[in-house]
Amino acid sequence: MNDATTLTLYLGAIGLLAIGIGGLVLARHLFRVVMALAIAEAGANLLLVLTGFRWDAVAPILTGADRAPMVDPVPQALVLTAIVIGVGVQALALALAIRLRQAYGTLDLRLIRARMAAEIDGAAGLAPAGSRDRPAGERPLPPPQPAALPGETRP
Amino acid sequence: MPTARLATLGPLLFAAGFAFLLAVLVAGLPFGAPPMTVGQAIQGDAAGTVGAANFVTAVVLAYRGIDTLGELSILFAAAMAAGLVLGRPGERRAGAAPAGFILRAGADLLFPLLLVVGLYIILHGHLTPGGGFQGGVILAAAFVVPVLADPGRPPEHRRLAWVEGLAGAAFIATGLAALAWDHEFLAPLLGRGTLGSLVSAGTLPLLYLAVGLKVGAELTGLLVRMTEADGEAPR
Amino acid sequence: MFWIVLLMVVVMLASAVAALLLPNFLGAVAAVSVVSLGVAGLFVLLRAPDVAMTEAAVGAGLGSLLLALALRRLGLWRLEVQEETDHADR
């Protein structure tokens, strides 16, 4: 039974991490990215606490006079701070998502990328990119201007 | 489309490879019988040196106090950055109706209960499971539920900012006082007291009180900022 | 203990997959909250009550509240909304 429990616990923690990271990379909607981040953080914290577990031990709190073996308190202290930091990072990610939606009107990552590229190209004065084979800028390319040395005016 | 399938296959392979790497690393660890070199020393030492019955509190505040200070800074930076990114709060829609009867009555009932439970958990952090972070989150919930019930009356941001700033300064001042007393920064002071009573473990309850108030005020401000109107329309 | 652990791990993993695949965002936020609650329950079984309390309060409580409030501000707070993929004219 001990081996099966060990396997199940590790499978759960590593599975959560893999699902979270896979979702982070694969998601097309920004909100799913934030949710995948939350899931990955839960998995990582579980993995950390698993390293401190001890069979037939009690929680690391002194209750009575008996000194039963206790689980390791150090990973638990680290995970305590990690959980609170995780929620802070999620709050910042959601604030950024709200601003992105206000700026671009959508949360689809491909559309945001396209609109952001169009906006940057428009601000630089270039014609917007048509496709991958026709990047931004005018064709044929203008001849390069020689750079002006300091103290000289441009010709 | 072959390119689209490749685009999803790549990340899936990456996630699977990452999981495999973790499995290989974890298989080498002794599960259920960790070496616990630092943990054993702390368990033998904490009751005598620090005087806290909760060893996790002893590690968080006494043995690794500077990690807690770092965590407070990260939380402060994240909350401040989120507030900056969200910008000026939009005008509160005057017609925002207060929530239904159940939420309003429940909020009136829950607020004192959550306040008491939160303060209890903060103050007993060195005796029972709990402490500043858990109690601070419960305090934040206590102050946010009335805002959900009646969006027209939020807590003042200035008051929350004062509480948060004073609590953070109190934490650092307690640490500096330990430095002035010829110990290290954030070493516990004020004597150990009797193990298991409320007034024990020196400055640990005071430190956790500062942490709890700071976390509570910060999270309340963050959540209230998120509830403010101006949601649907893109610019 | 094995059967309890197995049940909780299965529920957790199923909710994690559901959170990423459900088209309705309200259900997805509920699934993330179930994952947090499952992890908190596992922390209790692993003799870590401090961490379990923190994960339950922060993950299942405040984190899910944060996600739900953000849903409202992002305009996704509808019971029948579908994931917007190709609306090029928003």
Side-chain angles (χ1 to χ4, degrees):
Chain A
M1 267 308 139
N2 278 356
D3 282 342
T5 314
T6 308
L7 190 65
T8 318
L9 284 169
Y10 272 136
L11 210 70
I14 297 181
L16 271 186
L17 255 181
I19 291 176
I21 291 190
L24 203 63
V25 183
L26 279 175
R28 277 193 311 268
H29 196 264
L30 202 50
F31 198 70
R32 298 230 187 253
V33 169
V34 180
M35 287 197 298
L37 185 67
I39 293 174
E41 276 170 5
N45 293 331
L46 185 61
L47 195 57
L48 274 178
V49 171
L50 275 178
T51 61
F53 182 59
R54 215 163 137 181
W55 295 113
D56 301 325
V58 296
I61 297 180
L62 275 183
T63 46
D66 51 352
R67 298 301 182 110
M70 293 181 177
V71 299
D72 201 353
V74 178
Q76 293 183 18
L78 299 176
V79 167
L80 212 61
T81 38
I83 292 177
V84 182
I85 290 178
V87 85
V89 168
Q90 282 168 38
L92 184 56
L94 286 171
L96 285 171
I98 292 175
R99 276 309 256 179
L100 270 177
R101 186 173 184 277
Q102 280 179 348
Y104 292 111
T106 175
L107 279 175
D108 188 350
L109 281 174
R110 295 170 301 183
L111 287 179
I112 289 180
R113 221 174 277 144
R115 290 180 194 177
M116 201 185 281
E119 198 174 311
I120 292 177
D121 290 338
L126 300 170
S131 68
R132 263 186 18 187
D133 301 318
R134 193 165 64 83
E138 52 194 42
R139 295 281 182 284
L141 291 171
Q145 301 271 358
L149 291 174
E152 248 178 43
T153 54
R154 246 195 138 97
Chain B
M1 246 167 294
T3 46
R5 227 175 295 141
L6 199 62
T8 57
L9 201 57
L12 278 178
L13 276 181
F14 168 68
F18 184 70
F20 176 69
L21 173 67
L22 277 180
V24 163
L25 284 175
V26 139
L29 289 177
F31 182 75
M36 266 181 71
T37 44
V38 177
Q40 284 285 16
I42 289 181
Q43 279 168 17
D45 192 51
T49 313
V50 176
N54 186 355
F55 288 156
V56 178
T57 301
V59 174
V60 163
L61 283 182
Y63 289 103
R64 304 296 314 171
I66 201 136
D67 291 345
T68 308
L69 183 62
E71 186 269 341
L72 287 179
S73 329
I74 292 181
L75 202 57
F76 172 67
M80 187 174 65
L84 268 176
V85 163
L86 283 176
R88 200 177 299 274
E91 75 286 352
R92 197 163 279 278
R93 280 196 287 246
F101 172 70
I102 295 182
L103 189 50
R104 271 184 289 132
D108 283 341
L109 186 60
L110 277 178
F111 176 71
L113 287 177
L114 285 174
L115 208 59
V116 166
V117 168
L119 283 174
Y120 173 86
I121 289 184
I122 292 180
L123 288 175
H124 282 74
H126 56 289
L127 299 174
T128 54
F133 298 114
Q134 297 90 323
V137 167
I138 296 182
L139 281 184
F143 282 100
V144 161
V145 168
V147 176
L148 289 178
D150 187 8
R153 299 181 43 206
E156 282 188 31
H157 275 280
R158 182 172 309 195
R159 238 179 261 170
L160 290 174
W162 267 106
V163 168
E164 176 188 342
L166 283 177
F171 186 87
I172 298 184
T174 313
L176 286 177
L179 196 59
W181 230 277
D182 274 346
H183 298 290
E184 304 93 25
F185 182 56
L186 281 178
L189 294 177
L190 289 188
R192 292 190 321 271
T194 55
L195 190 65
S197 68
L198 184 54
V199 182
S200 66
T203 45
L204 255 56
L206 299 174
L207 284 174
Y208 247 168
L209 188 63
V211 165
L213 288 177
K214 181 174 206 296
V215 168
E218 226 158 32
L219 291 175
T220 306
L222 186 64
L223 285 171
V224 165
R225 181 64 80 80
M226 294 280 269
T227 61
E228 255 140 30
D230 184 34
E232 300 269 336
R235 190 152 43 96
Chain C
M1 178 163 128
F2 167 64
W3 294 109
I4 305 180
V5 166
L6 183 69
L7 182 67
M8 294 185 92
V9 164
V10 163
V11 165
M12 238 171 39
L13 289 177
S15 308
V17 172
L20 296 176
L21 291 181
L22 276 176
N24 180 8
F25 281 107
L26 207 47
V29 167
V32 169
S33 155
V34 168
V35 167
S36 276
L37 207 57
V39 167
L42 278 179
F43 282 150
V44 172
L45 288 174
L46 289 174
R47 313 280 189 265
D50 254 318
V51 186
M53 196 188 288
T54 311
E55 174 70 36
V58 168
L62 216 73
S64 304
L65 180 62
L66 206 61
L67 284 173
L69 285 175
L71 268 187
R72 189 179 199 95
R73 278 196 79 156
L74 290 171
L76 300 167
W77 181 268
R78 277 181 286 270
L79 282 177
E80 69 279 348
V81 75
Q82 297 293 319
E83 186 165 336
E84 38 185 77
T85 41
D86 273 13
H87 294 181
D89 50 5
R90 285 294 298 272

